[in-house]
Structures are given as structure tokens and as C-alpha cells.
Amino acid sequence: MTTSVLAAGVLEETIRAFFQGLPIGAGFALVAMSFVLTYKTSGVFNLAFGAQAFISAAAYFELHTRRDWPIWSAVLVAVLLVAPVLGLLLERLIFRHVHAVSAVAKLVISLGLMVALPELFKLAVDYNREQPFGAVGIIPDGTAVYRLFGRYPVTRDEIAAFAIMVAAALALAALFRYSRLGLRIRAVVQSPRMTELNGVNADWVSSGSWMLSSLFAGLAGVLLVPTTSSLGTVLEPRGYFPIVIAALAAAALGRLVSLPAAMFGGLLLGVVTTELRTHLPRDNVILNELRGSALPYVMLFAIIVFWPAIRRQIAGSDPLLGVAPPPPALAAANRSRGMTVYTRIMALAFFTAVGIWTFGYANNFWISRITHSVIFSIIFLSIVVFTGLGGQIALCQVTFAAIGAFTAMQFAQRWDVSVIVGMLAGAAIAAAVGAALSVPVMRLGGIWLAIATLAFALFFHDVLVKYGWVGGSLFHGRGVPRPQLFGVDFSSHKNFLVLCVAVLVVVGVLVILVRESSTGMALRALRGSETAAESIGVVSWRSRVIVFSVSAAIAAIGGGLLAMEEKQVSYEANYDPQIGLFWLVVVVVLGARTVEGGIQAGVAFVIFPVLVLERWLHLDGAWRFVLFGFAAISFARHPEGLLEHGKRRSQAAMQRLFTRRPPVAAAAGAGGAAGPGDEP
Amino acid sequence: MTDAPATAAAEIAGPVPLSLPVLELRRVNAAYGPFRALFDVSLSVGEGETVALLGRNGAGKTTVARVASGLVEPTEGEVMVDGNDFTKARAHRYAKAGVVHVPEGRAVFPDFSVEENLTLAFSRTRDRAEVREALGRAFELFPPIAHRRRQIAGTLSGGEQRMLAMARVLVETPRLLIADELSLGLAPIVTDEVYAVLTRIRAAGTALLIVEQHIGHALALCDRAILLDHGAITWQGPSDEAARAVGASLFDTSGDSKS
Amino acid sequence: MSLLAADGITKRFAGITALQGVSIALDEGERVGLIGPNGAGKTTLFNCLLGLLRPDAGSVSFDGRDITRLPVYRRARLGIGRTFQRVELFSGSSVRDHLLFAHRIRLGTGALWKDLLGLGLPKPAEIERCDALLESLGLGGMGDEPIEALSLGQSRLVEVARALMTQPRAVLLDEPSSGLDRAETTALADTMARIQAEQGFGLLLVEHDVELVATFTERTYVLDFGRLITHGPTSEVMRDPEVRAAYLGDFAAGPS
């Protein structure tokens, strides 16, 4: 008797979870379809769709809840106006002009937009309330509960979300099947150039598909407004992260190219999420985490690593693929010798001046800012190593920095060991974690690597940090002492600054040694041409695993120092994955290729918002996200970084001035020359 | 041997046509990145004229075809269509102007049905009756694909795909058809069928620019031939003199051309 | 026993048979050509030899060892060097760097700990060695040039030099004449012939420039429609009417 009652209860719970999962899955499905649509038509893996969903959701919330517009007009503006226009602008102003660049460069641009767009929106409409109360869905009286089959409760909002998603998917299918635009979009997907040969302007078609996919993202955002599950709320810039990740997982199920797979994948993940939440045992600590926000990250990571379809190369079926020259390598630029000398002289002068000022005149506030700059320079060297030397994008440097910080803290708190030892142990742990993480994902490379590392960073952020052995217990606090070494006390501001500068110099020299030696050679070869590198015997994934570990260790050292400087691990302020995205953007904008570029980025990251934005321009510090985010667009044209580019131009100008001889134009040439394409 | 490579193409370009040429390339250079594919190529195709573009693999024939249809923008020189400057125009404008291109290989949309492949190309109107009529014309030219309307193009045989690729550009009567390596990989019988259609199109007044490695069919079809080698025009003249020139250029190993 | 041999290679792509039971062999110290019209399967065979493609049937062996299943980099380390039809160089590196990379990888002496201790920096002896090779290829004094500053002909020579630094026993050249004019092609061929005579590696030349193959190679294989239609001494192959027909179509076996 009891077993059958229990079984009936389980069944009922299962069905209930199924119906609750569908509407959430509908949101995932819409965003996933947006990803697939733009990836197929323009080769852009637009991570910024999450930001676009947020903007539509927030616009709707702002108009309806705050400004009391009627629902229909708020939906009209947020979904049918704001979303497509935003998509059109992105395509027209940005992505149309970067057709030929590599997929990774496009990903960097979309990361910049992901950072910039929400902040721009918040600044523009003064949208800065942390907890948006009173958000209601687009259906009047949406919280009214119905009982499906007389027993399973669903709200009107949930019914509406699911119905609208189904209607949108059907409309999209019909559009593709029967309309001229649909036919043309499908043609562009197969071959933009062949489409052009048929007298169709492929750029117009591309604009159309961007508007369409942005509309889907916007619709998803608005539909998800009433969903305040443990996934977070779409109304906060951070809240849509889990949604984006789940949508990514859904899109990955179809290798980013299948729309039906993306839709069903989204629904499936929505249902799986709620089912697991219902059925996983509550007494198991680890499984319990899967009930919470960890699930999307784990799913995404698992899909990327284990889904066999992703391993298969997406073979280009475009018969005219040979027409366009290959995209230039991610960072293809050499420095002339004159340039190096010129830079060294300028750097020496600059650092002497800053040094004299700091130790002679600066107050504690500025000394602390400068120490921060030095520490962030160290952290950013890890990005220089992996992105500048390795030519790949990883989004979990922030996690490695956190590992360094927490290890230093744990060593000091638990065993009363010197924080310096703790920091070095942290570097070792980070290197090991990096190696373990990179073995499965490094073979994938490119955008998959970036996505997998983002999933890991978010997993660490939402799950691992909560464990005492990682993030320490709240009871003890997260305090970290300043170090003592060889009898010298580094607890004063100035002494600690000296220590940080010394570490920066050591790390910088090591980075240069690696760059100029065998490891760096293999990486440069891989970055230039992977095919050619393998033809002389380079094992691509092995080199990348090594460099990823080195980069992780550097980030951990920087993270440890940061904790000592602040005398505690300020995890939320310093080591949040979203901050990590911003780190990457700052470094690639200012110059990821050189040690000097990393230092510039460190200084800019710390000093720029305080000095330029707040003191000089009296602007909100959040403008830095907007400025750097949009500056990431420049990465497509100047992969060596904006400052490096500017220096080159100024050096060329100086040279012209003094020698009247045209300088050797170190053209950022194409990686491999394209053949005539006569041979298939 | 006897044919010294002509350097000034203009000298032997034949009689000056009365009307403006449909297509004219003036001292065109083209490159793929640092890789230079064409050096100062000048040629023109008049109204209703048929020209064969010959040369060995890698000589630059395909690049000429791509420049002539807007797929590759020249690095130097000009491309004129009906006397208008099309140098910077993209491929869809060439197609709208009636200069159409059948690329080499499987130049169809593999995921589309036969009918969708043709519908896409017929963009002048949405009128269903007219579309049907245009498709009817195309199917009439190529009976083998007529009863495969709903089949997915990627599953057609190589010859059928080539026919579909040609049918696609023929739904609207073109002014100039550029065909790249039509016979490549086709059985001789299929090649014959494809060339029979070209003969019909030619009779209807469409100009042709035929790129071929197998010169037999091309020379039988065309009035004039142009020979390319290493990205430059080395010979042009009437078709009946072309065979000797081509044979010499391809297999002459006696060494006198090794200068 | 041949140095590098393909035995009965068959390769299909989505139902199309690109190669049908093709066998070729290359011995140490000889120069062999592989020709055929566009679409004949030359590139497919080439990729099967190098490990970029895995044949559906048949085997590839090197020095008597079956290498059919080895990945590209393992074959490279055994001593198979190559160049590319579309020049593949390491953009952002100098000419000398290309040779240094190849040298280091061949020796396999690179290790992270050496790099970190400063032991991994280029040594004068290595640089001298690279420059000597550049000198003999006619690129003397260009070691510090960025690779982007080179002409296509020079770039091809750098590819050759990079392959030679791995001390290969077999070198495979993929359409080295493409994109070069007649004079550049001749110069490249002359340099290759000299180096090959000096070092004695086996050389396989995949080409569409029949003339280059005729002057440069001792033996030639001819592919058409994925099958080997003939092979033998180059001068005989060039006279074969079937070869002419493959290139010119049925029309043109005539002019002689």
C-alpha cells in the first residue's frame, strides 16, 4: 500500500516538475535559437544576447512597473522595438565590418558588448535598483494558478511563456519554410557568396536575421521576468548569466547550427533542471548543489566535453570558401627593434617619475591605488601569457586568482603558515587545476574553450566558494595578514608596494623567458598556423595545457597578493566572474601581446576609473565598462592592442620626423596566404 | 613554339565591337592576401559573343571568372559592365545586371530542394504564376532534374547538381553566362548534355565566357579563345587556332619557353 | 623497401570516391612527381600520406613501419617534411624564428623548467646553423626580416627551410609553383634540386605545372578520376597519349 502511494507521489511530483520546467525551458529555447541563428548567418557567437535579453526585460520593467505604461505598450516597445533595433545596430555598426576576422576575435567583441550594453542601459535610464520589486509578467493577473488535469498547478504566466515560445518557434519555422526572407536566410547560412551570385544582397539578409534573433532574445527576456527561481532574475545584469549558460548548453547540443535541436534542447534542459531539483536527494551535500544554480554550468561543461558532435569538425560546405582570404591570426604583429628601444626609454622615464612621486609625495590612498595597479598588472600577465602568447581565450583567470587568494588565507588561518608560502601553494594548486581543466577542453580550442572556461568560472563562483575548504568559513572571516619575509616586515603600505613591484619584475622576466624560449616558440608557431606547426611536429594541445597552467599560476600569485593588500579576500568585489570578463576585455583592448601591455592594462584598470572618470570627468565609474566594452571592437582590427597601435604610429611619426625615410611598415599581414582556390 | 606570347592584349583583341561590350576587364590585377593571382589581365566579351578561357590548372582562370562576376575585387584595374564601372560592386549587382556565374564544383545549395534552389535565383517578382513559368523554362532545358523538383540538391548526382547549378542562373535569361569548369569530374555523356544546353543558350543570344581545362568542348562552342598562364594572358585568337597553342603550352618540354 | 609508400589507398567523401586503390612509393634520394588534372585526387592522396586524412582502405608506411594511424605530428617527428600550396607560415615571427622553432621541436629538448631558468633562449650555435641554411637557399641576411615582408617565392623557400630544419628523410612539396611566375618557379626548382642532391632526401612533388614535373622529376605518377592511370619514368609518361587526353579532353590527343 505505502509503496504504491509513494510511487504515486513520485509520479505526481515528476509530472508537476515537468510542467514547471517547460516555461523555463521556453526561455532557454528562445535564447538558444538566437545564438544559433546569428552564429549560422554571420559566424558571430554573440554572448551579448544575454545582455540584450536583460535590456528588453529591464525596459519592460522600467516602462510598465516604474512608469505605469500599460502592459501592451511596454511589451511593444521592449520586444518589438528595442530588441530588433538593437540587433540591427549591432549588425550594421559592428559585426558587418568584421566579417573576415577569426571566430575568436568576434567572440571578444561580443564579450565587450556583454560587459558594455547592460551598463550603458543602466546609466542611460538610471536603472540601478538592486532588487526589482513588483515585477509582473506580460499577462494580466499572471500569478493566477490553474490546475492542469485538476491537480498540477501552473500559473498563467507559465502557460503564457510556453505558449508564446511555441508560437514564436512555429512562426520562425513558417518564416523559414514559406517566406522569401526565410529562404534567403537559409541560403546565406549555406553560402553567403553563392547567395550573392543569385542576385541577393547577403548583407541585407544578415541584418534581417540579426533583427530576428535579437527579437527572440528580447522576447525571452520579457517572458522570464516573472520567473524568479533559484536561477536568479533576468532583471539584474548578473541574473541572466545562468539563463545564458543554459541556452548555450542547449545551443551546444545542436553544435550551434541546428535550430530544432536548440529549441528542444532548451525545453529539455528546462525540464531536466526542475526534475533534478525535485528528485535529487536533499541530504547529499554535493548533489544538493546541483539543485541550485550549479546545474546549468555542470550541464554546459559536460555537454562541451562529452557531446560527441562537438568534437567533429564543422566541415565548411560552402563551395566558395576559398574566395575570401583567411582571417588574420589572432595577434599578428611584430615589433621592430627601434620600437623596443623607444618603448624602453619612455617606460623608464615614466616609472622613474611615478616612483619618485609615490615614495616622496603620495598619500596612502594613492599608494594603495598604485599597489593595486601593480598587483593587477601581475594578474593581467596571466592573460598576456594565455591570450597574447597562446592565442586563445579563457574566461576563468579570475577563478585562479581566487584560488591563490583563498589558499593564502587558508594557510594563514588554519596552519599559521606564512602567506607567501600559501600564495605559492595557491599557484601550484591553480596550475594543477588549470592542467586538469584544460586536458579535456584544450583540444576543442576557439570559442568552445572560452565557453567551457566560463562555465567553470561560474561553477566555482556559485558552488565551490561556498565550501569551507575553498572559501573558508564565514565564522572565521576572510582575513589575510601581510607577509613577513627574511625578517623584513611588509605590513606597511610602502614596504608592501616594494614587494609587489619585486614580484611583478620577477613574473615579467619569467614571462619574457617563456616567450623567447622553446615553449614560446611552439606557441607562436601554433598561433601563426596550427597546420604548419603540426607539420613540423608540434603537439598543439600539449603546448596549450602547459601555457594554461603557467597562466593559472601567475593569476593565483596576483590573486594572493591582492588579498594581502586588502588584508582580506574581498571575493564579491574582486573575484566575480563578471569582473573576470571585464579583465579580459581591458587587457585585449590595451595590448595582450607584451608584458608592457599587461602592465598598461593593470594601471588603466585601477587608475582610470578613479582618476579620469571620477576626478576629472565627474562621471559614474560604471562608464569604464561601457568604454572598454565598446573598445573591444577595436580588437578585430588591432589585435596588438590600442596602446601598442598608438605607440607604433607615434614612433613611425617620430621616425619620419628625424630620418625622412619611410619606416618599414610591419604590416599585420594575413597568417597564411590563400591559394588561387583552383584545387578543391 | 611558333606562337610568341602576345604581351599587348589590345593588339589582337579582334575587331572593335559596335556596341559596348557586356563585360570588360581593364588591366586587372587580383590577389588572395599576399598571393597574386592575376597580372594585368585585359579582356572583353561583346553582346552574344562566346569566349573560351583556357589554361592549365592554377593559371588563374577561376580568378578571372570570379573577378568577372564580382566575387573577387581586383587590387588594380577596372571591371566594366555595359560601360558602367562595376569594379567595387558586389556579386549581387552583377547578377542583377545579367552577368551570372556558375562556379566550379557543386555550386548548389546542398540543403535546399531543387525547386528552392531555383526559386531563390528568381528574385524579380513574388508572383507565383511567373515564378512557376520561370521554373518551367529551366526544367525544360534540363529534363533530368525536372522530375526531381522536391529532392534535396545535396543528394543529386554530380551531373544533376551541375545541371541544377546551370538551371539556377538560367531562370532569368542572362546577358552573359560565366561557367567555370563545367566538365570537371563529369562523365562524357553528361558533359555532352551540358554543352548541348550551352549551344541552345548561345543561339538565344546570351554571351558566354567558358572556363575549361578540357579544351575540346569549349573550343567547339566558342568563337574566340584566351589562353592564360601564371596569371597573365599569353595568347588569344580564333578558336580554330587555339588547339595548337594550348597543346604547345601544356606539353612543350623542349625547353624554349623556359626563359 | 620504399621509404614512404602508400598501398591501395581508397578514400570516399560522402559517397564520392576520391581515391580508388592507389599505390605509390618514394625511395630515399629520388625525385618523384605526382600529377593529374584538377579534381583527380592529388590533394587527397597527399593528405593521406601526411595524416591529415585517414584512408578508408589501404595503408601508409614509412621506412617499413605502418604509419596509417599516426597523427600528423608523429609523422613529422619520424622525418616527413612538407610545404603547403597555400603558404602556411607563422605570422608575427621572423624568418630565422621559423627555422629555430623547427630545430627545437626536432631535437625535442624544450622543457618549461629550462625556459624558466633562462636556458631555453636561442643559442649562438643554433642561430649560426639557421643562418647557414638560409644562406644556402639564397635567403642569406634575411633572418631578421618579419615574415610578412617576404615575397611569395621567398616565403616558399622559408617553408622549405623550415621543413629541412627537422632533418626530414622525405619531403613532400604541395604545388610549389602555384602563385609564382615562370622565372620564380624555375628558380625555386633549381634551388630545390641542388639541396636535394646535397642532402639526399626523397622528394615527392605534387604539381599541376606539367613542365616543372617534366624537368624536375625522375619518375611520375599520373592520377585521373581518383585512379592511377599510369606511372613510370617521367619522359615516358609525358609522351603517353592517355595522359594528354586526361589533361586536354578527348579532342586534343592530336597535336604533337
Side-chain angles (χ1 to χ4, degrees), chain A residues 77 103 130 187 313 353 447 460 479 533 555 570:
Chain A
V77 170
E130 273 305 305
Q313 282 287 335
I447 56 175
F460 182 88
S570 321

Side-chain angles (χ1 to χ4, degrees), chain A residues 16-229:
Chain A
R16 179 180 299 173
F18 177 78
F19 286 121
Q20 284 170 347
L22 281 180
I24 298 172
F28 298 164
L30 285 172
V31 181
M33 287 194 281
S34 303
F35 280 133
V36 171
L37 201 54
T38 41
Y39 184 69
K40 284 174 76 169
T41 47
S42 52
V44 177
F45 193 73
N46 185 25
L47 282 174
F49 276 134
Q52 289 176 252
F54 159 75
I55 287 179
S56 282
Y60 163 77
F61 174 72
E62 185 72 22
L63 292 174
H64 176 58
T65 311
R66 293 257 181 84
R67 307 198 179 175
D68 291 324
W69 286 29
I71 286 181
W72 64 268
S73 57
V75 170
L76 210 63
V77 170
V79 177
L80 293 179
L81 188 70
V82 170
V85 168
L86 189 56
L88 183 67
L89 287 176
L90 293 184
E91 197 274 338
R92 270 282 157 94
L93 300 180
I94 300 169
F95 288 109
R96 176 175 294 187
H97 308 284
V98 295
H99 263 314
V101 308
S102 67
V104 171
K106 286 176 184 165
L107 184 77
V108 169
I109 296 175
S110 84
L111 279 174
L113 292 173
M114 187 172 172
V115 170
L117 287 177
E119 299 296 332
L120 182 64
F121 177 84
K122 281 161 68 181
L123 290 166
V125 304
D126 194 23
Y127 179 96
N128 48 16
R129 199 166 293 175
E130 273 305 305
Q131 281 295 327
F133 289 111
V136 292
I138 60 173
I139 299 299
D141 211 7
T143 47
V145 176
Y146 292 86
R147 292 197 172 265
L148 286 183
F149 309 112
R151 47 173 22 154
Y152 308 114
V154 288
T155 65
R156 277 175 82 156
D157 276 332
E158 286 171 336
I159 296 174
F162 182 67
I164 290 172
M165 192 286 298
V166 169
L170 288 177
L172 188 68
L175 178 92
F176 273 4
R177 189 79 192 77
Y178 300 110
S179 83
R180 199 146 84 145
L181 177 66
L183 187 68
R184 290 176 172 189
I185 289 179
R186 284 192 292 152
V188 168
V189 165
Q190 293 171 64
S191 167
R193 285 165 197 281
M194 285 265 295
T195 313
E196 292 254 308
L197 283 182
N198 282 303
V200 175
N201 188 342
D203 281 353
W204 283 102
V205 177
S206 187
S207 295
S209 80
W210 268 85
M211 290 172 73
L212 206 58
S213 48
S214 299
L215 178 77
F216 269 58
L219 189 60
V222 171
L223 288 179
L224 286 167
V225 163
T227 317
T228 46
S229 63

Side-chain angles (χ1 to χ4, degrees), chain A residues 329 334 510 513-514 516-519 521 524-525 529 532 534-539 550 667 669 671-673 675 678-680, chain C residues 38 43 72-73 76-77 84-92 97 101 104-105 110 112 115-116 118 120-122 148 162 175:
Chain A
N334 234 349
L510 289 180
L513 281 176
V514 168
E516 297 302 321
S517 306
S518 307
T519 311
M521 287 182 192
R524 258 190 286 170
S529 160
E534 295 208 328
S535 86
I536 55 171
V538 178
V539 191
V550 170
D678 273 4
E679 190 75 20
Chain C
N38 206 345
T43 302
V72 179
Y73 65 88
R77 289 178 177 210
F84 294 84
Q85 183 192 359
R86 303 171 167 213
V87 174
E88 290 271 357
L89 291 167
F90 308 139
S91 54
D97 281 352
F101 296 172
R104 279 290 171 83
I105 287 150
L112 185 64
D115 294 353
L116 291 175
L121 296 171
E148 287 84 4
R162 179 179 65 193
E175 314 239 349

